[in-house]
Amino acid sequence: MKVIRAAVDEMWSVMGQMTSAVFRHGLPMTDKIAARTALTNFVLHIHPVRVRRSWIRMSYTLCLGGLSFFLFIVLTVTGLYLMFYYVPSTQHAYQDMRDLQFVVTFGGLIRNMHRWAAHAMVITVWLHMARVFLTGAYKKPREFNWGIGTLLLLITLLLSFTGYLLPWDQLSIWAVTVGTNMAKYAPIAGPYTRYLMLGGTAVGDATLLRFYVMHVVGLPLVGFLLMVVHFWRVRKDGFSGGL
Amino acid sequence: MATEATDRIAARQRVEARRRQVEASTTIRDDSEDEMIVSFPEFIFKEFIAAVAMTAFLVVVSIVLQAPLLGQANPGVTPNPSKAPWYFLGLQELLSRFPPLMAGVAFPTFVIVLMILVPFLDRNPSRRPSERKVAIILFALYMAIVVALVIIGTFFRGHEFIWNWGWVLGNPQTCGGAAC
Ligand code: HEM
């Protein structure tokens, strides 16, 4: 009996230690504890400790920036799952997509979530831009962050576009053929740009690999770094405030 | 007695006062008297709810709606029409109407540069909607044009990218844009 009691006590104290290693303070019963909680926990740390009630009214941001970021995280997680099963070669890609759809556990669901989240992100980022414009939040001192935002919009579109090719079905190669054809009209650089994007003169194996690498490493990395700067600037410029 | 601590508090208050002075002209209305609250838990909780709602929405949509997967890519068979993803259909629409150099290169570059320059071109310091009617009308026009072009590209463009009402009325063998 005594041994069991001691073991249970020990377990509680270890669990307590684990919990307090992550959540370094108890429930914030006072403002002071709440402020300290925010300073010592990363998730809370990227938020301001104090905000005005009017700033966090959902009717101001409509959550659009936050949702864009959340969708980026959803896309990262579901994308990792897809990567376990997907080989970026013209021989395997299409069959891998069919396997994901029909064989892999939750493969169809995860693929659908990745696809719809990508469409949703294009929409939320676009609407976030509209919110920022309509509230005039790009004005001094936030000009720079608006510029970063514009780049984020481009990255979001390019991420969607590079992902579009990967299923290697009739929809994807022809959509990408049409898309990359636009590049070739640029004076002088046009044909070279297209060649660089495709890794050849037509959409093929090299294109699939290039789009894949940009889709899973290049663009997400640049996008993530830009987001870090974007959020940091939101904090440094001060949030533009409520209506 | 001015200790280091009181000095620091006074300095902070000066910074805060200056911030408010600057801020007063950059917020839509003066919010310096609005109630200050600690972000945790109320603000964090709101974000959490938004994330959970979005996840639930995505799961439901993904169960109901199957993402498209057509036949395997075949470089020898060009579907007609060939369409870009929906967010590029506006560009494709312009390409079908204007010289490619203008529609495919000059115009998008112009729009991107213009967007980055917006905060410097808009000389009006006010953020009140009633005092920036021109900016809001121009932006609404821009949004309306983009949305219209995407809708046209998705639903009103058929064989050879020629105008086709059949897309709206239902065309049995074909499907348009990303909705396939
Ligand atoms: C991947 C894309 C993006 C993400 C994840 C993102 C995220 C965020 C977040 C979380 C905020 C805090 C306030 C809010 O939620 O509204 C914010 C603010 C801001 N964003 Fe973005 N954003 C993105 C794209 C853009 C774009 C396309 C623009 C404009 C062209 C932009 C311009 C701004 C500006 C100026 C602010 C400060 C607004 C203020 O203080 O009211 N962002 N962004």
Side-chain angles (χ1 to χ4, degrees):
Chain A
M1 217 46 220
K2 228 178 182 172
V3 181
I4 296 176
R5 187 79 163 273
V8 169
D9 278 353
E10 187 57 27
M11 210 174 75
W12 272 119
S13 95
V14 169
M15 272 167 60
Q17 194 185 348
M18 285 175 175
T19 316
S20 64
V22 181
F23 305 100
R24 287 160 191 252
H25 302 275
L27 276 181
M29 306 307 276
T30 68
D31 276 9
K32 201 169 158 195
I33 299 179
R36 217 181 316 142
T37 311
L39 279 172
T40 52
N41 176 308
F42 176 74
V43 174
L44 306 179
H45 195 77
I46 60 175
H47 294 87
V49 173
R50 282 162 203 288
V51 290
R52 295 199 188 280
R53 196 178 284 281
S54 56
W55 295 355
I56 65 166
R57 270 217 298 268
M58 288 187 176
S59 56
Y60 185 69
T61 67
L62 303 171
C63 283
L64 289 165
L67 281 180
S68 306
F69 181 57
F70 180 68
L71 286 168
F72 182 76
I73 294 173
V74 169
L75 286 160
T76 307
V77 175
T78 52
L80 278 176
Y81 191 79
L82 298 177
M83 281 175 77
F84 292 150
Y85 300 97
Y86 176 87
V87 178
S89 86
T90 53
Q91 282 186 11
H92 299 106
Y94 184 71
Q95 198 50 52
D96 290 346
M97 293 312 293
R98 289 188 69 90
D99 283 352
L100 272 164
Q101 198 102 299
F102 301 113
V103 183
V104 175
T105 313
F106 292 126
L109 179 70
I110 299 286
R111 173 178 179 232
N112 288 349
M113 280 182 74
H114 195 76
R115 181 84 166 206
W116 303 132
H119 287 307
M121 186 171 165
V122 172
I123 296 171
T124 56
V125 171
W126 186 261
L127 292 177
H128 168 63
M129 176 194 78
R131 184 294 275 178
V132 171
F133 187 95
L134 293 175
T135 57
Y138 56 83
K139 299 191 180 197
K140 207 174 167 186
R142 300 183 187 84
E143 305 97 320
F144 183 72
N145 217 13
W146 169 269
I148 298 280
T150 310
L151 296 183
L152 276 169
L153 176 64
L154 284 180
I155 296 277
T156 308
L157 290 174
L158 289 176
L159 269 168
S160 283
F161 183 61
T162 48
Y164 217 81
L165 181 65
L166 305 185
W168 203 250
D169 65 351
Q170 277 294 72
L171 187 62
S172 52
I173 65 158
W174 293 103
V176 167
T177 303
V178 171
T180 50
N181 268 343
M182 294 180 193
K184 102 181 152 205
Y185 299 117
I188 308 163
Y192 298 103
T193 312
R194 183 160 185 275
Y195 194 90
L196 191 71
M197 286 201 282
L198 298 185
T201 49
V203 177
D205 243 319
T207 320
L208 184 55
L209 189 58
R210 282 182 191 203
F211 272 51
Y212 178 76
V213 171
M214 287 314 279
H215 186 74
V216 302
V217 184
L219 292 166
L221 197 68
V222 176
F224 183 75
L225 290 176
L226 285 173
M227 282 181 209
V228 170
V229 178
H230 194 61
F231 301 157
W232 182 70
R233 283 251 53 97
V234 172
R235 294 289 301 277
K236 290 296 155 187
D237 295 337
F239 188 54
S240 68
L243 287 166
Chain B
M1 196 179 77
T3 64
E4 199 189 329
T6 52
D7 272 356
R8 223 185 287 150
I9 290 171
R12 264 195 101 112
Q13 278 168 348
R14 276 199 301 278
V15 170
E16 179 68 8
R18 209 175 313 133
R19 188 187 71 80
R20 270 204 208 133
Q21 252 176 20
V22 175
E23 206 88 311
S25 61
T26 60
T27 51
I28 291 180
R29 60 173 182 73
D30 180 17
D31 61 1
S32 56
E33 299 302 313
D34 290 357
E35 184 191 359
M36 251 321 191
I37 58 168
V38 175
S39 317
F40 185 77
E42 187 177 322
F43 178 32
I44 312 292
F45 187 66
K46 274 190 178 176
E47 290 184 323
F48 179 70
I49 294 293
V52 169
M54 178 52 99
T55 310
F57 172 74
L58 276 178
V59 170
V60 171
V61 169
S62 300
I63 289 172
V64 178
L65 277 183
Q66 188 56 53
L69 187 64
L70 307 189
Q72 180 158 17
N74 182 351
V77 179
T78 313
N80 193 338
S82 284
K83 290 188 180 184
W86 62 268
Y87 36 82
F88 286 150
L89 278 180
L91 269 183
Q92 198 177 352
E93 179 67 25
L94 291 178
L95 267 173
S96 73
R97 287 164 184 266
F98 299 101
L101 179 60
M102 197 178 130
V105 184
F107 191 71
T109 312
F110 174 73
V111 169
I112 293 166
V113 173
L114 191 70
M115 253 191 76
I116 294 178
L117 291 182
V118 153
F120 309 100
L121 297 174
D122 180 357
R123 308 305 302 166
N124 175 3
S126 172
R127 292 188 48 211
R128 292 183 189 89
S130 58
E131 290 169 7
R132 44 197 296 266
K133 291 206 176 85
V134 176
I136 287 178
I137 288 172
L138 285 178
F139 186 76
L141 209 62
Y142 170 54
M143 293 295 259
I145 290 173
V146 171
V147 171
L149 288 181
V150 169
I151 290 178
I152 289 174
T154 308
F155 298 109
F156 296 97
R157 288 293 176 183
H159 190 74
E160 295 296 328
F161 218 67
I162 292 167
W163 192 277
N164 179 0
W165 291 106
W167 246 250
V168 181
L169 306 174
N171 198 331
Q173 312 96 24
T174 42
C175 71
C180 296

